[in-house]
Amino acid sequence: MIEPDSHRFDTRALHAGQRPDPVTGSRAVPIHQTTSFVFDSVDHASGLFNLEISGHLYSRISNPTVAVLEERIASLEGGVGGVCTSSGQAAFHLALATILGAGDHVVASRNIYGGSHNMLNLTMPRFGITTTFVDPRDPQAFAEAIRPETRLVFAETLGNPGIEVLDIAAVADVAHGAGLPLAVDSTFATPYLIRPIEHGADIVIHSVTKFLGGHGVAIGGIVVDGGRFDWAADGKFPTLSEPYDGYHGITFTEEFGPAALSMRARAEGLRDFGGCMSPANAFYLLQGVETLPVRMARHVENTLRVIDMLDGHDAVSWISHPAHPSHPDHDLAKRLYPKGAGAILSFGVHGGRDAGRKFIEAVDLASHLANVGDAKTLVIHPGSTTHQQMSAEDLAAAGIGEELVRLSVGLEDPDDICDDLSRALRASQR
Amino acid sequence: MKFQVDDLTVNAATGAVSIERDEVADAPLVVLLHGAGMDRTVWSQQTRWLAHHDTRALAVDLPGHGGSEGPAITSIGELAAWTARLAEALGGPVHLVGHSMGAFIALEAAAATPDRIASVVLMGVGAAMPVHPDLQTAADADDPLAAALMAGWMHGPDQRFGLNPTPGMSMTGTSRAVIEACPPGVLGPDLAACAAYGGAVDAATVLTCPVTIILGTLDRMTPRKAAQPLLDAMPSATIVELPDSGHAPMMEEPGAVRRVLGDHLGRLAA
Ligand SMILES: Cc1ncc(COP(=O)(O)O)c(C=O)c1O
């Protein structure tokens, strides 16, 4: 059987969305450091403002450097398009604000990034949008939480903090059965490890800040539009299927079909909320995306080495990563993540909060900070930092034991990472 | 908008403005016809622009496609006859803009029912449209491979790199999603109808209305040279060759296609 004519993944990581600049011959993506773009004529200007024609007019709405990153990640995910934002949080907000309105309801995994949990649990209710949180390992729980006013199902492909592996197809079936889209945050996985749209997800959100950017130098986010969901099927999504006064009565599904969500997110969401990505950040993040395949392969390889070392260490009480046989999703991860289930893991240090603190004080190579997905190995002990005010009971309820250490495995020589961790583990027991 | 042809609902994008406004009552009716397995949205870079530039533009969904009621019509001759009835339902001769299968329909309709068709603009067209057997097999089986194959071939080779004139969008990704959204059992017969149609040169020989043909230099589905017999049969046609376009110039060089449409309609008004 013949194959579709397209470049393969690793090639697209380097090339998708860009051709050498025809005017200057510039091979690298130029940084279009400009706020605005000149119009050819009054007609051209009015056509752009009225969505009659497409093109760049003002960098809050679109910018050529940012557009390369958008098209590149959309291509890697197999989507129809993407809208980049100033941060991963802004991407999540943009997706919510484009689809939902007051009175709408979300069913979300309860094991998600704390910032996303705050947004759904504390902030969105002020705007009339409420959320029911469910166990991501139980597709039936999503089904049972769906109400007549539910408009979105949301989960992380690899969850927080336990690296819960989402059975994307099973949860997509639940969502689609109820006429709802499934949005996933795939930050921990990146399209190198899984392409959720191929498994049935409709929207993919990334904190590009993390592994996609890969070097810890710039904050950014993206909403990737899968383009498969029928927003017009039953009138549940009026922002997309009803006339919008903001552009003289345009109906996004009618004019743009599979691109309806991305077009509305840009034309309304970036226009009104303004959470755009800067061209300079897009450039930094593009440098990371170019090497995503080689970096992620090494991140995963190093992670397996670290798991091996921790497994044999006396000071370690447990390890949570899908590659470890003790992980509840070990088999599911083998099926969905043949290249590995990411480079973030947590483990328990014997001796609880105190030992956790000593461990963190003793690491030397690993950086103690609140981020993941850097080229460098990062480590944090929530019990003594981000979650220090919480009691042992509250921590346990959040799935974060006092003894939990979270690790984002970097690209250093794996022997050096293991030496550092194992020395710090010994120190934690003194 | 929705209206009826043969007692079946037809859906058309009109650029979000009504074609029934008084100020456009005498403006030309422009009907845009999509290709096999696609729908009205392939014209999103032209429909709304036309609608705001002194025309009554309708990018229709062919029967059984997009938002139009089925069943799909399975031969170019019958689709052309349907187009003539559509022109009648709209109340006037129409200018047809056709892409690929839509170009065959426009050609055949203009030849068979000259009183209904004021002019035609064709793109992604040749004297014949052979379909790769693997594509036909995949389409007949409603295998998503068919959409991926078409999305790969319908754009010029540069679209493997991308750089879509619409910021942030993937052209091949969008084309694939449009074709994947085609209802089951429709793409296969569409492609078979294209492959079976042998009347293009005959139609071109007899038609009398003004014709503009847009040729994509990089077209791999109906290569530039496959159009030559058509061009030879229509010596008075206006020919525009777009160097950066493959089989879908309305997406690949949307601005150039808008200019050609404007020039075409402008010549007729003059
Ligand atoms: C899974 C996940 N989603 C979203 C975010 C938010 O991204 P950003 O920090 O770019 O706003 C983070 C950040 O830690 C994250 O880990």
Side-chain angles (χ1 to χ4, degrees):
Chain A
M1 211 26 150
I2 196 151
E3 276 189 42
D5 177 44
S6 68
H7 288 141
R8 290 164 182 80
F9 188 89
D10 293 12
T11 307
R12 284 183 280 133
L14 285 153
H15 290 281
Q18 192 221 0
R19 298 181 221 165
D21 185 65
V23 177
T24 60
S26 189
R27 176 61 274 192
V29 179
I31 305 177
H32 291 275
Q33 192 67 51
T34 181
T35 56
S36 12
F37 303 85
V38 292
F39 305 121
D40 298 343
S41 63
V42 171
D43 188 54
H44 177 227
S46 74
L48 283 170
F49 276 107
N50 195 30
L51 295 186
E52 291 164 30
I53 65 178
S54 59
H56 303 290
L57 63 108
Y58 188 63
S59 287
R60 173 164 20 92
I61 315 293
S62 71
N63 171 282
T65 310
V66 181
V68 175
L69 180 62
E70 291 168 333
E71 196 175 330
R72 185 161 303 176
I73 297 176
S75 168
L76 294 179
E77 286 288 7
V80 297
V83 180
C84 275
T85 53
S86 55
S87 68
Q89 283 303 95
F92 187 38
H93 177 263
L94 179 64
L96 296 175
T98 302
I99 299 167
L100 307 174
D104 290 345
H105 173 256
V106 179
V107 176
S109 156
R110 68 177 179 225
N111 301 109
I112 55 177
Y113 168 59
S116 305
H117 193 273
N118 286 341
M119 173 123 70
L120 291 172
N121 190 44
L122 303 175
T123 311
M124 281 296 149
R126 282 203 287 119
F127 301 92
I129 295 164
T130 55
T131 296
T132 303
F133 293 97
V134 300
D135 176 0
R137 291 196 171 110
D138 182 3
Q140 192 51 34
F142 286 90
E144 282 160 15
I146 290 171
R147 305 184 203 151
E149 65 274 22
T150 305
R151 292 293 177 271
L152 182 70
V153 175
F154 174 74
E156 291 178 357
T157 52
L158 296 175
N160 228 310
I163 318 300
E164 296 80 6
V165 177
L166 188 73
D167 187 341
I168 302 168
V171 177
D173 281 350
V174 166
H176 297 161
L180 302 174
L182 170 65
V184 295
D185 178 330
S186 202
T187 298
F188 282 15
T190 81
Y192 176 77
L193 296 178
I194 200 161
R195 289 179 290 281
I197 294 166
E198 290 173 5
H199 297 264
D202 302 292
I203 299 165
V204 182
I205 295 161
H206 284 285
S207 169
V208 186
T209 314
K210 309 289 160 30
F211 294 101
L212 278 165
H215 297 81
V217 297
I219 303 279
I222 190 169
V223 180
V224 178
D225 179 357
R228 264 57 158 207
F229 189 76
D230 185 358
W231 303 102
D234 52 13
K236 278 185 177 163
F237 303 96
T239 54
L240 299 171
S241 70
E242 299 290 327
Y244 175 48
D245 284 342
Y247 290 93
H248 302 108
I250 202 167
T251 300
F252 284 85
T253 49
E254 198 53 23
E255 300 298 323
F256 301 114
L261 176 74
S262 350
M263 294 300 286
R264 174 89 182 206
R266 185 181 302 282
E268 176 193 52
L270 290 187
R271 185 197 61 185
D272 295 0
F273 302 116
C276 60
M277 179 182 284
S278 74
N281 272 3
F283 176 83
Y284 290 130
L285 295 167
L286 272 165
Q287 308 317 304
V289 173
E290 293 201 346
T291 57
L292 177 72
V294 283
R295 284 188 298 102
M296 280 315 282
R298 175 69 180 258
H299 274 294
V300 167
E301 199 184 302
N302 283 2
T303 301
L304 297 180
R305 288 284 307 276
V306 167
I307 290 171
D308 242 22
M309 182 279 292
L310 294 174
D311 216 7
H313 206 290
D314 292 343
V316 173
S317 51
W318 52 266
I319 301 167
S320 179
H321 185 278
H324 195 267
S326 68
H327 193 276
D329 303 319
H330 184 62
D331 290 336
L332 180 61
K334 264 195 198 153
R335 177 159 66 80
L336 293 185
Y337 292 83
K339 290 180 178 164
I344 296 170
L345 62 112
S346 50
F347 59 90
V349 185
H350 278 306
R353 208 181 285 230
D354 212 40
R357 178 183 297 124
K358 282 190 196 155
F359 167 80
I360 289 288
E361 299 288 3
V363 290
D364 177 30
L365 178 64
S367 309
H368 178 209
L369 52 71
N371 189 25
V372 295
D374 196 318
K376 292 151 190 145
T377 295
L378 314 178
V379 67
I380 197 159
H381 175 232
S384 61
T385 53
T386 50
H387 294 65
Q388 58 161 311
Q389 293 94 341
M390 289 170 79
S391 67
E393 295 75 54
D394 288 350
L395 276 176
I400 301 168
E402 287 186 291
E403 75 288 5
L404 180 146
V405 169
R406 187 185 69 192
L407 198 60
S408 173
V409 179
L411 302 177
E412 298 91 345
D413 188 306
D415 288 335
D416 288 333
I417 303 173
C418 290
D419 286 352
D420 186 45
L421 298 176
S422 116
R423 202 184 32 74
L425 280 167
R426 281 197 303 277
S428 76
Q429 304 300 304
R430 288 201 274 270
Chain B
M1 73 179 283
K2 306 242 193 238
F3 57 104
Q4 302 279 307
V5 175
D6 304 335
D7 293 326
L8 294 171
T9 301
V10 175
N11 182 59
T14 58
V17 290
S18 167
I19 62 166
E20 278 143 20
R21 293 167 300 146
D22 287 343
E23 63 270 30
V24 293
D26 298 321
L29 271 166
V30 181
V31 172
L32 301 109
L33 301 169
H34 61 77
M38 308 201 80
D39 68 25
R40 68 193 181 281
T41 62
V42 302
W43 301 108
S44 64
Q45 287 293 309
Q46 286 80 31
T47 315
R48 194 165 156 84
W49 179 83
L50 283 167
H52 285 90
H53 287 80
D54 308 316
T55 68
R56 292 175 288 165
L58 298 99
V60 299
D61 288 330
L62 292 171
H65 297 70
S68 288
E69 244 181 291
I73 298 172
T74 55
S75 80
I76 300 299
E78 288 170 72
L79 282 160
W82 175 85
T83 304
R85 296 196 294 281
L86 172 104
E88 186 177 283
L90 292 172
V94 298
H95 302 271
L96 294 178
V97 180
H99 169 238
S100 197
M101 179 174 82
F104 272 176
I105 299 169
L107 203 49
E108 183 65 21
T113 50
D115 52 322
R116 304 275 168 78
I117 310 304
S119 77
V120 295
V121 179
L122 312 173
M123 63 197 84
V125 69
M129 231 177 269
V131 175
H132 192 289
D134 288 352
L135 171 56
Q136 186 69 54
T137 304
D140 287 338
D142 288 318
D143 181 338
L145 174 68
L149 289 172
M150 281 177 72
W153 290 332
M154 72 183 283
H155 303 295
D158 282 352
Q159 278 305 327
R160 285 183 301 212
F161 296 96
L163 189 59
N164 193 336
T166 303
M169 302 306 295
S170 159
M171 191 179 294
T172 50
T174 308
S175 294
R176 193 178 61 217
V178 171
I179 301 165
E180 278 182 6
C182 183
V186 171
L187 178 61
D190 273 6
L191 292 173
C194 292
Y197 180 61
V201 172
D202 287 349
T205 309
V206 302
L207 63 66
T208 52
C209 68
V211 179
T212 295
I213 302 192
I214 300 174
L215 300 167
T217 307
L218 308 175
D219 190 337
R220 292 178 287 173
M221 294 185 102
T222 47
R224 168 69 183 81
K225 66 178 186 310
Q228 198 55 46
L230 267 190
L231 307 184
D232 293 343
M234 294 185 286
S236 60
T238 302
I239 298 162
V240 181
E241 185 151 347
L242 297 182
D244 296 325
S245 284
H247 186 63
M250 67 286 186
M251 301 178 208
E252 294 167 87
E253 291 184 79
V257 170
R258 284 189 294 265
R259 267 192 303 282
V260 173
L261 292 176
D263 290 348
H264 174 89
L265 295 167
R267 271 196 302 278
L268 302 185

